[in-house]
Amino acid sequence: MNPRPIGVFDSGMGGLTAVRRLRRLMPSENIIYFGDTARVPYGNRSRETLLQYARQDLRFLESFDLKAVLVACGTISANCLEDLRPDSGIPVIGVVEPAVKRAAAETKTGKIGMVATRASVSSGAYERALARTAPGLEMRSLACPLFVPLVEEGRFRPGDVVIETIAREYLAPLREPAVDTLILGCTHYPLLRDVIGGVMGPSVRLIDVGGEAAAACRNLLAEGDALANRETGSIRCYTSDHAANFERLASLFLGEDLRGKVEHVDIAQY
Ligand code: DGL
């Protein structure tokens, strides 16, 4: 049993989709979330910049006495996870491996698609994880750089002509020849589940990377007898930009009201 909080970070709000799953799976846990909204999006940045940002994000979170960190950002998980782990004295869980394991278990045809930011796709991390997990399965990866800014602008609902048009164009190469399983390789994308599902059709399974990582985090803590056992856990959020904007949009990602629970942090100090 371990009552210390779990830290979670992302470039912005997307990681709250992983927190949503964490809250459902482990309602007793206290969670500290950092969203780097002053520097979002991360997805087109160089590996050096990503590593610098990720180290600052992690240092900030580690100023709390945590028991684990969930890197709820596909871009950082794909590019920097192995560099971050030695910096930290606690388990640092990324989103790539758990999602690839799930996709490998779900696919019937052995053809898996993966959509994510440019930096996630160009890292090759998902292909390497698949080669380790299930050699012989095929993966096709596609960058969808406009998805994150559109989601952060609230343009993610079915019927929105902008997102529908872009999703149809981006996803066309995954429809012919068709994949049967699609990894949503960015924690912003669960908000696009209906739009992406509409384009891909009902026979394609959609795998949410944040959700799979949250489940992996629960399993890890349970194996180490490190779950909390209080009645109800709390959530506290920090943002590098306007707290008010964060509070306003966060409920879309988290499904919970965060008013009064968000503070600004000067991430340059870390
Ligand atoms: N949620 C982040 C990810 O999973 C968004 C990336 C970005 O900021 O571009 O990759």
Side-chain angles (χ1 to χ4, degrees):
M1 197 163 48
N2 186 337
R4 285 183 287 152
I6 301 168
V8 183
F9 75 89
D10 180 36
S11 57
M13 313 258 181
L16 290 170
T17 60
V19 173
R20 190 175 190 147
R21 185 71 73 88
L22 275 181
R23 301 272 281 165
R24 210 165 293 155
L25 291 172
M26 297 186 281
S28 307
E29 300 295 337
N30 287 346
I31 292 170
I32 312 243
Y33 182 86
F34 173 66
D36 196 3
T37 47
R39 304 189 292 199
V40 71
Y42 280 8
N44 296 321
R45 300 196 191 265
S46 69
R47 210 180 151 277
E48 292 66 37
T49 303
L50 290 171
L51 192 52
Q52 181 207 327
Y53 288 0
R55 288 203 161 115
Q56 288 179 306
D57 301 347
L58 188 61
R59 273 199 291 270
F60 165 67
L61 279 179
E62 288 188 336
S63 64
F64 300 88
D65 185 21
L66 304 174
K67 62 181 169 188
V69 171
L70 177 58
V71 182
C73 177
T75 307
I76 297 295
S77 298
N79 284 278
C80 312
L81 197 68
E82 296 315 319
D83 299 282
L84 290 181
R85 278 184 167 148
D87 292 352
S88 181
I90 52 174
V92 179
I93 299 138
V95 302
V96 175
E97 200 89 37
V100 167
K101 283 190 178 144
R102 164 68 59 190
E106 294 276 336
T107 182
K108 301 276 183 290
T109 62
K111 293 186 184 357
I112 298 168
M114 199 284 288
V115 285
T117 65
R118 267 200 195 105
S120 291
V121 170
S122 63
S123 74
Y126 285 86
E127 285 83 355
R128 286 196 298 280
L130 187 65
R132 282 194 300 274
T133 305
L137 300 191
E138 201 184 292
M139 179 174 285
R140 252 180 295 150
S141 306
L142 271 182
C144 302
L146 288 172
F147 277 176
V148 168
L150 283 168
V151 167
E152 295 256 336
E153 279 298 317
R155 307 293 296 266
F156 53 80
R157 293 189 178 81
D160 182 311
V161 68
V162 176
I163 190 66
E164 294 265 9
T165 307
I166 288 170
R168 265 198 304 279
E169 187 171 320
Y170 275 160
L171 299 171
L174 296 177
R175 300 180 63 207
E176 202 48 60
V179 299
D180 75 339
T181 305
L182 178 60
I183 297 177
L184 306 182
C186 170
T187 51
H188 281 67
Y189 295 179
L191 274 81
L192 294 171
R193 184 170 260 276
D194 291 345
V195 169
I196 293 173
V199 173
M200 296 304 294
S203 61
V204 176
R205 282 173 214 80
L206 303 180
I207 312 279
D208 157 18
V209 286
E212 296 305 324
C217 181
R218 193 251 336 251
N219 294 342
L220 188 86
L221 294 177
E223 280 162 19
D225 194 21
L227 294 168
N229 81 338
R230 66 180 70 78
E231 188 113 325
T232 315
S234 64
I235 178 158
R236 188 90 223 148
C237 292
Y238 296 84
T239 170
S240 50
D241 207 63
H242 292 299
N245 280 358
F246 191 99
E247 282 181 7
R248 193 168 48 78
L249 278 174
S251 62
L252 291 172
F253 291 83
L254 184 64
E256 270 181 62
D257 191 348
L258 281 180
R259 270 174 296 181
K261 296 180 183 163
V262 183
E263 277 173 54
H264 175 262
V265 58
D266 180 5
I267 196 64
Q269 288 184 355
Y270 290 88

